Amino acid sequence: MWDRRRQIVWLAAGLIVGTFVAFSDAHDEDGIFVPRFFVFMESLVLIIIAVLFYFYSRRKS
């Protein structure tokens, strides 16, 4: 069963891990933070989470 508490836990964990990975990868060779790449990676994380959330939240008929 895909209850509300499990949804919140998976959503929070996905956002935290996804943001950490996006932030870690958003630095160039010199260690300078690249905001455009971070926004791009974070938007991909949010799209993936939204699609998976939609698929798992559908009711089975």
Side-chain angles (χ1 to χ4, degrees), residues 1-60:
M1 184 52 98
W2 189 242
D3 59 349
R4 178 71 60 195
R5 187 175 57 154
R6 192 171 297 171
Q7 288 176 344
I8 292 171
V9 168
W10 277 102
L11 184 63
L15 285 174
I16 290 168
V17 171
T19 301
F20 176 74
V21 170
F23 181 78
S24 297
D25 289 345
H27 293 81
D28 63 2
E29 298 85 22
D30 299 326
I32 298 172
F33 180 70
V34 181
R36 288 183 73 180
F37 188 69
F38 175 74
V39 170
F40 172 72
M41 292 291 288
E42 190 66 23
S43 64
L44 285 179
V45 167
L46 293 176
I47 289 169
I48 291 169
I49 288 174
V51 169
L52 290 174
F53 194 80
Y54 170 74
F55 283 134
Y56 286 127
S57 295
R58 292 189 303 176
R59 299 249 182 223
K60 295 189 181 199

